[in-house]
Amino acid sequence: MEQNQDLSEDRLANAWAELQSLSNDSAPLRPNANRLAFADPEFLLRRETRGIRFQLEMLKPEIDQQALGVENTIVVFGSARFPAPEQASAALKLAEESGDEEALALARRHVRNAHYYDQARLFARIVATYSNPRPASEQLFICTGGGPGIMEAANRGAQEMGALNVGLNIVLPHEQSGNPYISPSLNFKFHYFALRKMHFMMRAKALVAFPGGFGTLDELFEIITLVQTKKAKPVPIILFGSEYWKRLFNFEVLIEEGAIKREDLALFQYVDDPQLAWDAIKDFYKL
């Protein structure tokens, strides 16, 4: 069987030598017909090669997760703007000292919402505690969007228990990088939202959606729709924080207008306690 080739071998190292020298000299990278196609960013970033980039964004996380035995995940969504309690408390103290009413109102809101950070962190710890002693085929890995806030909390909880955990970060116009609690070997970065969403679903055995904004809603309803239309197998879909979600949505309107069936509401459930969220997943799979 042919062995994987080491990237330090001459046949590949030579292809990267020119790119490295350009990077070191801060020289602009210009089109070059003589450059190997796979080592030519100018070529790979063309509109015509978008399909190749799709394939690469699908393949890289797939290979790396397979290599580490990550086959089953619990995906945790939620706001990037809900800080850790210690951060919220520090910000409140500064706001109180400043006397700025706008800053004070924002800091108080952060303190109010920071408990969701703690609950996401605790939920991930519960999952990791169950998963760690089990064989790889039975393990469940926490997977998030890789950012701050609720995502950070879930990665943090898993990391604190010594568990591998996944972060699927996305390149945004405002700079964002993976939070420090993601396992380095599973800290992926995406350009395309579509490919990132596919990786969320490919291994997901449950979705836990904490309060969040447009990104959380986008991901939540995509998964609900996939399950509703039977394009994906049923999985537990848990809305954590019933007061938030019920205040945000009036699903009865959709039923009254005939946009959904009443039984569609059974696709998801509300919980307010990390242990109950885990119990719902355990009950679904009879763990």
Coordinates of all heavy atoms in Angstrom, one line a residue, residues 88 147 204 221 234 249 251:
A88 N -18.2 39.5 32.7 CA -19.4 40.4 32.8 C -19.3 41.2 34.1 O -19.6 42.4 34.2 CB -20.7 39.5 32.8
G147 N -16.4 30.2 18.0 CA -16.2 31.6 18.4 C -16.3 31.8 19.9 O -16.2 30.9 20.7
A204 N -23.6 15.2 13.6 CA -24.5 15.6 14.7 C -25.4 14.6 15.2 O -26.2 14.0 14.4 CB -25.2 16.9 14.4
F221 N -32.8 26.8 12.4 CA -34.0 26.5 11.5 C -33.5 25.7 10.3 O -34.4 25.0 9.8 CB -34.6 27.8 11.1 CG -35.6 28.3 12.2 CD1 -35.2 29.4 13.0 CD2 -36.8 27.7 12.4 CE1 -36.0 29.9 14.0 CE2 -37.6 28.2 13.4 CZ -37.3 29.2 14.2
P234 N -33.9 12.1 12.2 CA -34.3 12.8 13.5 C -33.2 12.8 14.5 O -32.5 11.8 14.7 CB -35.6 12.0 14.0 CG -36.1 11.3 12.7 CD -34.9 11.0 11.9
F249 N -40.4 33.6 19.8 CA -41.2 33.0 18.8 C -42.6 32.6 19.3 O -42.8 32.1 20.3 CB -40.6 31.6 18.3 CG -39.3 31.8 17.6 CD1 -38.1 31.2 18.1 CD2 -39.2 32.6 16.4 CE1 -36.9 31.4 17.5 CE2 -37.9 32.8 15.8 CZ -36.8 32.2 16.4
F251 N -45.0 30.2 17.8 CA -45.2 29.2 16.8 C -46.7 28.9 16.5 O -47.0 28.4 15.5 CB -44.5 27.9 17.2 CG -43.0 28.0 17.2 CD1 -42.2 28.0 18.3 CD2 -42.3 28.0 15.9 CE1 -40.8 28.1 18.3 CE2 -40.9 28.1 15.9 CZ -40.2 28.1 17.0

